RNA sequence: GAUCCACUAGCUCAGGCGGUAGAGCACUUGACUUUUAAUCAAGGUGUCCGGAGUUCGAGUCUCCGGUGGAUCACCA
């Protein structure tokens, strides 16, 4: 029934098709009427890909090969033609001659459109101009393209179309394909690195009843049978630490997080994060792991630790400097928080520097504000900023000798945050109090403050070993290693508003 | 959420002070048996993002709306 409706709908649409679309549909109908419906073909025997032939011509010269791909250009010259087909590796030129394929096949070859998918068998050779090509002895139309591709020379530039119809972007812009292949390799290299060090990859719930582990507004959804609100996770932290309580000792999760916040070149509502937890180590252990992980992945995937990001030279060779937040703020603003003893004094110092302070933040909060204002965007080379104020670190172990600070670091490269890690707070009584503080902030209107998670506290009461935890923003790491300007350039399908029809 | 910019043929883009829309590629037809942004000849492209207004007349000016981009705010 629905098919009938669709067919009627299609017929109505066809009346309005412009010439370019109509010609292609007519060619398809002709093929179908003559018993050559390309959509009935189910497989094609591909023996080689373009990449291996282009890379090893001497080995392949005069050998018979079978390739398949998308027709990207056509240069007809009467009784012979050249065309290019593109597969996952790239493009190769095909030479088709009437003497070799016969009159009938040659006539139908001339009717192929750019964008069609074809299979070709033939012999590898080099043209007079020196281009490695396939001298075809037969070809098969494997799928008909009913729409024209974007222009061959300028490609597809319209950002809106590139994101909404990413397949077109992938077909015509080779750098885009390269970026996403690199993305996949980076993620595979991260898994290899962690697996080799004894980490166990786990999966924790994306549907949460209490979203925790980060300061962020969650997406809210509804479960029908349970008839209750649920939240998409903002971080996996509280689940992963339960697994450390459970004795899994070294775990990681690499997956999608969801935060209901603003979008920018650095933020997409869903993004990929890697979090790992290692029992019996602390944030110093996490620093070593973070710098080793990122530099190793760069070396393996990019082939170097010295990279360029948007014109800036960045050297990822470890070790990376460790600077306390207090020292960093002192260095860049001249305000030494070691000499500040009260909240009021801190606010005065910030105001004296010309900062606009609203409400009555604590000393630690002012320190963090001054860090963001004076230091963050200056940290181009990889730098660990360590010892964060306890007020902004509700899940972090305090420094034994300075309980107002915590054993936490964030990693900065190119002025952006790439990672966040700490010695995990394992004192259930302190954790309970920190949650109570967060709940107060929440009740005071801070929508990003943590909710009370009694089940998590219960887990800690059973005993969490001293543990180091590390989170790395994977999309940002991929941006860095692929020299991508916007997070949307490393997401195949970035979040888009639907177009109003 | 705020500000600025963009939206014209399938794609990439031009359209001066308001006078009824153009190029290249792609497409159609023809020529051409090693071309390569193939070439040569001829031909057709259109909801100028949508709506309203001003005007004799709007792609162009004004207002409202849509989508995207950049910057800012918030965050990772």
């Amino acid at each position: 029934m629905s098919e009938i409706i669709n067919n009627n709908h299609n017929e109505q649409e066809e009346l309005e098709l412009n010439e370019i679309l109509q010609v292609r549909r007519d060619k398809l109908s002709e093929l179908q009427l003559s018993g050559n419906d390309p959509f009935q073909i189910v497989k094609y025997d591909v023996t080689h890909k373009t990449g291996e032939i282009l890379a090893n011509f001497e080995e392949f010269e005069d050998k018979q090969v079978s390739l398949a791909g998308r027709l990207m250009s056509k240069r007809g010259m009467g009784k012979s033609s050249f065309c290019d087909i593109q597969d996952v590796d790239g493009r190769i030129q095909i030479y088709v001659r009437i003497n070799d394929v016969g009159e009938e096949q040659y006539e139908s070859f001339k009717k192929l459109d750019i964008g069609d998918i074809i299979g070709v068998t033939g012999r590898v050779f080099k043209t007079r101009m020196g281009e490695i090509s396939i001298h075809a002895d037969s070809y098969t139309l494997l799928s008909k393209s009913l729409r024209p591709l974007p222009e061959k020379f300028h490609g597809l530039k319209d950002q809106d179309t590139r994101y909404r119809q990413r397949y077109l972007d992938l077909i015509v812009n080779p750098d885009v394909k390269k970026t996403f292949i690199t993305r996949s390799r980076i993620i595979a290299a991260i898994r290899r690195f962690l697996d080799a060090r004894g980490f166990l990859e786990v999966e924790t719930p994306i549907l949460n009843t209490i979203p925790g582990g980060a300061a962020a507004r969650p997406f809210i959804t509804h479960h029908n049978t349970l008839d209750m609100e649920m939240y998409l996770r903002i971080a996996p932290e509280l689940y992963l630490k339960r697994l450390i309580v459970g004795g899994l000792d070294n775990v990681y999760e690499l997956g999608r997080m969801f935060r209901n916040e603003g979008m920018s070149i650095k933020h997409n509502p869903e993004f990929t994060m890697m979090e790992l937890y290692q029992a019996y180590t602390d944030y110093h252990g996490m620093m070593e792991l973070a710098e080793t992980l990122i530099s190793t992945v760069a070396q393996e995937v990019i082939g170097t630790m010295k990279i360029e990001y948007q014109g800036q030279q960045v050297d990822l060779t470890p070790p990376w400097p460790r600077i306390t937040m207090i020292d960093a703020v002192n260095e860049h603003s001249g305000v030494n928080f070691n000499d500040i003893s009260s909240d009021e004094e801190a606010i005065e110092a910030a105001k004296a520097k010309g900062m606009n302070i609203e409400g009555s933040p604590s000393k630690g909060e002012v320190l963090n504000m001054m860090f963001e204002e004076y230091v963050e965007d200056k940290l181009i080379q990889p730098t660990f900023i360590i010892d964060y104020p306890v007020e902004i670190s509700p899940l972090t172990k305090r420094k034994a000798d300075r309980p107002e600070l915590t054993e936490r670091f964030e990693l900065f490269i190119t002025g952006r945050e790439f990672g966040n890690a700490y010695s995990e707070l394992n004192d259930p009584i302190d954790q309970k109090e920190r949650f109570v503080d967060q709940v107060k902030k929440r009740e005071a209107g801070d929508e990003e403050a943590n909710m009370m998670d009694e089940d998590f506290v219960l887990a800690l009461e059973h005993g969490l070993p001293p543990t180091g935890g590390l989170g790395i923003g994977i999309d940002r790491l991929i941006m860095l290693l692929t020299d991508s300007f916007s997070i949307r350039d490393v997401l195949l399908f970035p979040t888009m508003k639907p177009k109003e029809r």
Side-chain angles (χ1 to χ4, degrees):
Chain A
M1 183 64 194
S2 63
E3 273 187 20
I4 292 167
I5 290 168
N6 282 339
N7 283 341
N8 287 338
H9 182 63
N10 285 343
E11 278 168 27
Q12 281 174 5
E13 271 186 358
E14 275 185 37
L15 296 175
E16 296 162 16
L17 293 177
N18 69 28
E19 187 203 357
I20 284 177
L21 302 185
Q22 191 57 55
V23 164
R24 289 182 180 227
R25 291 201 180 221
D26 291 346
K27 286 179 181 173
L28 175 63
S29 301
E30 207 177 296
L31 287 164
Q32 289 169 327
L33 287 171
S34 66
N36 296 306
D37 184 352
F39 297 125
Q40 286 187 349
I41 294 177
V42 291
K43 63 178 186 175
Y44 187 78
D45 183 24
V46 176
T47 62
H48 296 86
K49 290 195 288 181
T50 60
E52 48 188 331
I53 295 169
L54 294 173
N56 305 292
F57 172 72
E58 286 73 19
E59 187 187 319
F60 278 102
E61 187 167 16
D62 285 330
K63 295 261 168 61
Q64 191 73 11
V65 293
S66 168
L67 299 169
R70 189 179 295 274
L71 188 64
M72 297 303 291
S73 66
K74 251 177 103 184
R75 296 174 291 283
M77 294 175 305
K79 294 187 170 60
S80 75
S81 297
F82 286 95
C83 66
D84 299 309
I85 60 166
Q86 175 170 287
D87 67 10
V88 67
D89 288 345
R91 292 187 190 184
I92 197 162
Q93 178 169 266
I94 311 291
Y95 180 52
V96 183
R97 219 165 54 153
I98 194 164
N99 315 34
D100 306 311
V101 299
E103 204 165 313
E104 196 180 325
Q105 270 223 335
Y106 193 75
E107 282 310 306
S108 62
F109 177 84
K110 286 206 286 190
K111 289 190 181 139
L112 291 182
D113 287 305
I114 289 172
D116 289 351
I117 309 284
I118 61 171
V120 174
T121 61
R123 158 179 78 75
V124 179
F125 80 113
K126 222 178 229 181
T127 64
R128 276 180 206 156
M129 303 300 289
E131 181 160 349
I132 298 165
S133 309
I134 309 295
H135 196 128
D137 51 47
S138 80
Y139 88 93
T140 312
L141 176 61
L142 301 173
S143 184
K144 186 76 193 155
S145 168
L146 297 178
R147 287 179 182 271
L149 285 177
E151 204 238 2
K152 63 180 173 185
F153 192 61
H154 297 94
L156 179 66
K157 292 189 171 173
D158 183 73
Q159 294 281 27
D160 193 47
T161 311
R162 289 186 48 213
Y163 296 149
R164 289 181 197 277
Q165 293 179 271
R166 183 67 93 179
Y167 47 91
L168 292 178
D169 200 20
L170 287 165
I171 292 167
V172 302
N173 295 326
D175 286 350
V176 172
K177 189 194 264 183
K178 191 176 164 216
T179 292
F180 287 106
I181 290 171
T182 303
R183 180 185 174 111
S184 180
R185 289 184 180 150
I186 289 168
I187 289 173
I190 291 170
R191 287 204 161 97
R192 263 200 315 277
F193 179 95
L194 293 173
D195 294 347
R197 277 163 181 73
F199 283 88
L200 186 74
E201 181 169 12
V202 297
E203 294 171 280
T204 65
I206 290 172
L207 281 178
N208 291 178
T209 51
I210 300 171
R217 290 163 65 185
F219 284 92
I220 304 172
T221 185
H222 184 262
H223 189 284
N224 288 342
T225 309
L226 296 176
D227 189 23
M228 63 181 291
E229 301 278 271
M230 297 195 85
Y231 306 89
L232 301 188
R233 68 177 173 190
I234 56 175
E237 173 159 351
L238 302 186
Y239 285 105
L240 293 175
K241 281 196 268 196
R242 285 171 169 95
L243 298 180
I244 301 294
V245 171
L248 290 179
D249 282 4
N250 299 283
V251 294
Y252 74 97
E253 181 161 16
L254 205 167
R256 208 72 62 82
M257 306 299 146
F258 306 85
R259 299 191 184 175
N260 203 342
E261 284 162 357
M263 295 161 68
S264 76
I265 56 168
K266 294 186 285 183
H267 300 87
N268 195 66
E270 52 180 308
F271 64 101
T272 300
M273 185 156 70
M274 189 282 298
E275 279 200 17
L276 66 83
Y277 292 83
Q278 180 175 2
Y280 311 115
T281 188
D282 63 0
Y283 75 145
H284 294 292
M286 291 299 103
M287 281 185 253
E288 283 168 36
L289 191 63
E291 64 192 5
T292 311
L293 170 70
I294 291 174
S295 57
T296 302
V297 167
Q299 185 67 48
E300 272 185 31
V301 179
I302 312 299
T304 176
M305 295 186 191
K306 293 182 171 66
I307 59 166
E308 182 176 320
Y309 185 74
Q310 305 292 300
Q312 297 177 118
Q313 304 302 317
V314 178
D315 188 353
L316 299 173
T317 310
W320 300 338
R322 283 89 163 133
I323 305 172
T324 67
M325 183 181 266
I326 288 176
D327 286 349
V329 168
N330 190 15
E331 184 188 331
H332 287 94
S333 75
V335 176
N336 188 351
F337 272 72
N338 285 322
D339 299 337
I340 289 173
S341 50
S342 69
D343 297 345
E344 293 73 25
E345 222 180 307
I347 293 169
E348 279 314 305
K351 282 184 175 168
K353 291 291 291 181
M355 284 184 67
N356 183 25
I357 306 287
E358 286 171 16
S360 49
S362 68
K363 175 183 158 186
E365 286 165 335
V366 175
L367 173 62
N368 188 50
M369 285 182 224
M370 290 196 68
F371 172 77
E372 286 172 359
E373 176 74 20
Y374 294 103
V375 185
E376 190 165 339
D377 60 1
K378 308 214 168 42
L379 302 174
I380 306 301
Q381 299 307 315
T383 307
F384 294 114
I385 295 298
I386 68 171
D387 298 354
Y388 274 60
V390 69
E391 303 93 306
I392 58 167
S393 312
L395 301 164
T396 310
K397 191 177 276 201
R398 295 174 198 265
K399 284 180 78 74
D401 55 341
R402 294 192 68 172
E404 79 277 16
L405 298 178
T406 60
E407 294 206 344
R408 173 182 178 190
F409 72 80
E410 287 190 341
L411 166 62
F412 293 89
I413 311 173
T414 64
R416 289 177 181 170
E417 188 191 335
F418 278 77
N420 181 20
Y422 30 92
S423 303
E424 302 300 330
L425 175 60
N426 61 346
D427 174 347
I429 297 165
D430 191 359
Q431 182 66 77
K432 179 78 181 266
E433 286 167 6
R434 306 266 195 107
F435 273 135
V436 169
D437 280 349
Q438 289 289 309
V439 169
K440 278 182 194 153
K441 282 186 181 167
R442 208 178 167 79
E443 283 166 354
D446 181 355
E447 287 183 84
E448 285 161 12
N450 283 255
M451 297 181 192
M452 171 63 70
D453 193 334
E454 300 274 8
D455 284 335
F456 176 66
V457 174
L458 176 64
L460 291 190
E461 286 175 3
H462 286 85
L464 173 71
T467 297
L470 166 67
I472 291 176
I474 298 299
D475 307 295
R476 288 189 182 176
L477 180 61
I478 291 161
M479 287 168 68
L480 178 73
L481 296 181
T482 58
D483 195 15
S484 297
F485 174 72
S486 168
I487 194 168
R488 291 191 183 93
D489 296 330
V490 300
L491 299 171
L492 282 167
F493 299 100
T495 302
M496 300 289 280
K497 221 171 173 177
K499 266 192 169 173
E500 202 179 62
R501 293 270 169 175

